[in-house]
Amino acid sequence: MKRKNASLLGNFLMGLGLVVMVVGVAYSVLNQLPQLNLPQFFAHGAILSIFVGAVLWLAGARIGGHEQVCDRYWWVRHYDKRCKRNHHSS
């Protein structure tokens, strides 16, 4: 896949994941209001959609080449002296 197409597909998947997550959170919150009478059957699907949206977001970031933030945190966690577990207390 060409770089431009990969970037477009990645951005599309990231946007779709964001929309799916926001809709899932919104339905979960609105489902708690008794005056709306929303079906409880879809409440579990709304919770699942948050995770599906996160997976879409991560897949889009991987395809589009936006995973540098994750790499940066990995670098900080493994090579920053403040984040290492082997502190010597004096």
Side-chain angles (χ1 to χ4, degrees), residues 22-38:
V22 168
V23 167
V25 169
Y27 190 86
S28 296
V29 169
L30 291 175
N31 193 30
Q32 300 300 315
L33 299 174
Q35 61 267 31
L36 292 180
N37 291 328
L38 295 174

Side-chain angles (χ1 to χ4, degrees), residues 4-37:
K4 182 179 178 183
N5 291 338
S7 179
L8 286 174
L9 179 63
N11 288 340
F12 173 75
L13 286 176
M14 287 176 71
L16 181 65
L18 179 66
V19 168
V20 169
M21 284 188 286
V22 168
V23 167
V25 169
Y27 190 86
S28 296
V29 169
L30 291 175
N31 193 30
Q32 300 300 315
L33 299 174
Q35 61 267 31
L36 292 180
N37 291 328

Side-chain angles (χ1 to χ4, degrees), residues 2-80:
K2 291 185 179 180
R3 184 175 178 91
K4 182 179 178 183
N5 291 338
S7 179
L8 286 174
L9 179 63
N11 288 340
F12 173 75
L13 286 176
M14 287 176 71
L16 181 65
L18 179 66
V19 168
V20 169
M21 284 188 286
V22 168
V23 167
V25 169
Y27 190 86
S28 296
V29 169
L30 291 175
N31 193 30
Q32 300 300 315
L33 299 174
Q35 61 267 31
L36 292 180
N37 291 328
L38 295 174
Q40 289 290 330
F41 178 73
F42 295 121
H44 298 294
I47 301 290
L48 180 67
S49 73
I50 297 169
F51 295 105
V52 169
V55 169
L56 285 172
W57 176 278
L58 291 173
R62 179 70 178 174
I63 291 171
H66 296 290
E67 73 275 357
Q68 291 88 6
V69 173
C70 178
D71 292 341
R72 184 179 309 142
Y73 289 138
W74 185 91
W75 181 265
V76 168
R77 191 175 66 233
H78 285 84
Y79 292 105
D80 192 358

